[in-house]
Amino acid sequence: MAATTSILLLCLFLSLTVSLAHASTPDAGQFSTTLRPEKLGLHRKEKLTHLKFYFHDIVSGRNPTAVPVARAAMTNTSRSLFGLVNMMDDPLTVGPKSSSRPVGRAQGIYASASQTELSFLMVLNFAFTEGKYNGSNLSVLGRNSVFSGVREMPVVGGSGAFRFARGYAQARTHEFDLKTGDAVVEYNVYVFHY
């Protein structure tokens, strides 16, 4: 009887020890942890930055920077190109000429999402390659009604120097070639970041 009691106590002790050890490990079923903002550098004052650059969307020629990757059966008969999806890797420059100094790339997709007007769903990253924002990105997700004078889309986040970014991007068509479909768009981006 004493031997049985000793074995039971030993098993209970081992079970309790394993349970306590498992509960103290960081990945013991927890997927979130509360952090102090200072750990991520969020104790600094938030800045508001204005970025101005030109987006070159080239759909014609031998080296297009935006290409169709999908289209609906009705796209070719739709006056709004409804159902067309383009993948882009468009250059960003300081000036409107394609020979202007490059500052990054606009990488993502735009899809014709309206049946009544040429209006795109834009999902893109501005990937910067110059100056203090080299290696940093801003993410934009929004509606771009192409023939409106100014289109405003939200900046939904960022990385690098733009971690925790929020703001908006204003797009204005600088130049549009009706024959080729190529466009140069001026972007003014206003973003809060740390």
Side-chain angles (χ1 to χ4, degrees):
M1 181 88 166
T4 305
T5 305
S6 295
I7 291 175
L8 283 174
L9 285 175
L10 180 61
C11 286
L12 183 61
F13 174 74
L14 288 174
S15 176
L16 184 59
T17 303
V18 168
S19 294
L20 289 173
H22 182 67
S24 67
T25 59
D27 63 322
Q30 293 182 355
F31 68 92
S32 68
T33 304
T34 301
L35 298 175
R36 294 177 50 82
E38 295 81 20
K39 280 190 149 201
L40 295 177
L42 301 181
H43 59 285
R44 299 180 307 232
K45 187 175 180 190
E46 197 172 31
K47 299 175 273 211
L48 174 62
T49 298
H50 170 224
L51 302 159
K52 180 180 177 181
F53 48 83
Y54 291 83
F55 169 108
H56 300 264
D57 194 52
I58 303 158
V59 295
S60 69
R62 295 178 58 170
N63 295 310
T65 61
V67 296
V69 294
R71 66 179 61 230
M74 69 178 284
T75 298
N76 291 339
T77 59
S78 167
R79 50 173 231 182
S80 66
L81 299 174
F82 182 65
L84 176 66
V85 179
N86 279 359
M87 184 67 65
M88 72 175 134
D89 183 12
D90 290 342
L92 303 176
T93 61
V94 251
K97 295 192 183 294
S98 60
S99 59
S100 296
R101 182 170 54 93
V103 294
R105 308 291 293 186
Q107 298 171 328
I109 61 171
Y110 57 91
S112 184
S114 172
Q115 293 186 44
T116 58
E117 65 175 316
L118 190 57
S119 183
F120 294 129
L121 163 65
M122 305 288 288
V123 182
L124 65 100
N125 287 311
F126 293 130
F128 298 104
T129 57
E130 283 294 310
K132 66 181 177 179
Y133 300 122
N134 183 18
S136 298
N137 298 284
L138 285 173
S139 298
V140 173
L141 172 66
R143 182 176 190 266
N144 184 350
S145 183
V146 177
F147 292 116
S148 295
V150 177
R151 289 89 69 193
E152 189 172 294
M153 294 165 278
V155 172
V156 296
S159 66
F162 295 117
R163 287 183 191 131
F164 296 101
R166 68 188 193 291
Y168 65 97
Q170 287 184 327
R172 283 183 182 86
T173 302
H174 178 78
E175 188 178 300
F176 179 67
D177 187 326
L178 282 170
K179 216 186 291 185
T180 64
D182 295 347
V184 177
V185 180
E186 176 187 316
Y187 271 87
N188 282 281
V189 181
Y190 300 89
V191 63
F192 282 105
H193 61 102
Y194 289 94

